[in-house]
Amino acid sequence: MKKLQSVHDLYTEFVKDIYHAEVMLAPELKFFIEHCDTPQLQRTLQRQLATTRAHVSQLEDILETLDADLLDDHCRTMKSMIIENKELVERCNDTKLIQRVIVGALHRITSCLVTVYQMLISMADELNFSEQKHILQECMDQEVLFDKQISAYGFNIIFNEFNLQQKLT
């Protein structure tokens, strides 16, 4: 493994890492869409799948300008979260529980992506990569919006279940 000797080297590594994370996320979103029984959540995930694919393309463009090798290691953090999330979904036999697993998993994944995008934006600023900074900011803003949508959806699940329980008692 190559030693990192500069902010540029570190920046390149983080761009590769988030690129691979976004690449791995696309099939995960498809998996979640297939396991959703709520049309609203399915539509939200389908929009996010399109957004994720756009992020992959934008990150490929950035990596091309950095002359980085796309075949390097994959993001181990995303890989382990995907494995764990799929196992959780497959262990659930209740659709409401599956929806909660999906919402929780996506909230956790999105939080990680936002953190990496924040670090990249800071480094792009330091390196005077203004165009890349703008692209990364846009990607992060989209992730933050998605996280808000997922969080609101999760809150609605809990709120509706609570109201149903209150009516039954």
Side-chain angles (χ1 to χ4, degrees), residues 9 19 56 61 68 75 79 92 96 117-118 128 136 139:
D9 291 347
Y19 165 77
V56 168
D61 292 344
C75 177
K79 189 174 184 176
C92 294
K96 289 181 182 177
Y117 277 120
Q118 287 172 333
N128 294 316
L136 296 166
C139 290

Side-chain angles (χ1 to χ4, degrees), residues 5-6 13 23 38 46 64 67 107 115 121 146 161 163:
Q5 299 181 15
S6 66
E13 287 301 310
V23 165
T38 309
Q46 287 166 339
E64 187 176 307
D67 198 29
H107 181 66
T115 299
I121 291 164
F146 177 65
E161 287 177 6
N163 280 340

